[in-house]
Amino acid sequence: MNTVWDNVDKFESLIANYTGSKYAIAVDSCTNALFLSLKYCKEKLKLNHNFIEIPKQTYVSVPMQVINAGYKVKFVDKSWAGSYKLGSLPIIDSAQKFGSQIYEKDTFYCLSFNFKKILSTGKGGMILTDDINAFEWFKRIRYDG
């Protein structure tokens, strides 16, 4: 008999294959995908930049998560369509973009699956990565994410 987590594992595998990433970690929102990615960069990769540049025109949750993760925000005039990188960190906010083979190597590519998105699960998000250490950390930490 399958458990709910067996179904989550299958969904993660399908998304990873479709997007071109090695691993996919389901979380409850893109907001938490961003937060967990920011925390991983700060704590595990020791990427302690003073300011993270993000577009002035973005969702309010993005600067909130940057601050919540212990960074400072620097808003910049930057146009974007579908996705953008958070400063020089290897994090991509792709809340508005989803498709085949979109994953960018060596990043934490954050997706959103809320009711207005291309792939709607009602609520949800995902982190795509090719880093096994990050994958294992995200899998352990996501239960509180």
Side-chain angles (χ1 to χ4, degrees):
M1 186 162 139
N2 285 347
T3 69
V4 171
W5 288 109
D6 292 330
N7 293 330
V8 172
D9 290 342
K10 176 74 172 168
F11 181 57
E12 290 170 336
S13 178
L14 290 169
I15 296 298
N17 289 334
Y18 180 70
T19 59
S21 69
K22 192 164 185 177
Y23 308 105
I25 305 92
V27 293
D28 66 341
S29 66
C30 187
T31 297
N32 279 328
L34 290 168
F35 175 71
L36 294 176
S37 297
L38 286 157
K39 290 300 278 185
Y40 187 82
C41 286
K42 189 171 193 73
E43 294 177 13
K44 299 298 181 183
L45 301 181
K46 305 297 183 198
L47 299 176
N48 296 314
H49 304 308
N50 288 334
F51 292 92
I52 305 300
E53 292 184 349
I54 60 173
K56 286 181 180 179
Q57 301 293 322
T58 190
Y59 294 93
V60 69
S61 64
V62 179
M64 289 170 51
Q65 296 316 308
V66 169
I67 293 166
N68 196 23
Y71 294 98
K72 293 180 181 170
V73 175
K74 181 177 182 184
F75 291 104
V76 294
D77 286 319
K78 178 180 179 180
S79 59
W80 59 279
S83 65
Y84 62 89
K85 192 171 178 192
L86 275 68
S88 61
L89 294 178
I91 301 171
I92 297 176
D93 176 1
S94 189
Q96 291 295 320
K97 180 180 178 184
F98 180 75
S100 177
Q101 303 304 307
I102 60 168
Y103 177 69
E104 296 180 26
K105 185 176 172 31
D106 298 324
T107 66
F108 304 116
Y109 203 96
C110 300
L111 303 173
S112 176
F113 302 136
N114 85 16
F115 69 95
K116 300 183 294 184
K117 305 301 169 76
I118 295 167
L119 177 59
S120 175
T121 60
K123 181 177 167 125
M126 199 163 282
I127 305 167
L128 307 176
T129 187
D130 50 10
D131 180 332
I132 184 64
N133 295 319
F135 169 74
E136 291 171 351
W137 188 84
F138 289 136
K139 288 284 248 190
R140 284 190 310 272
I141 202 81
R142 75 168 165 195
Y143 298 108
D144 291 329

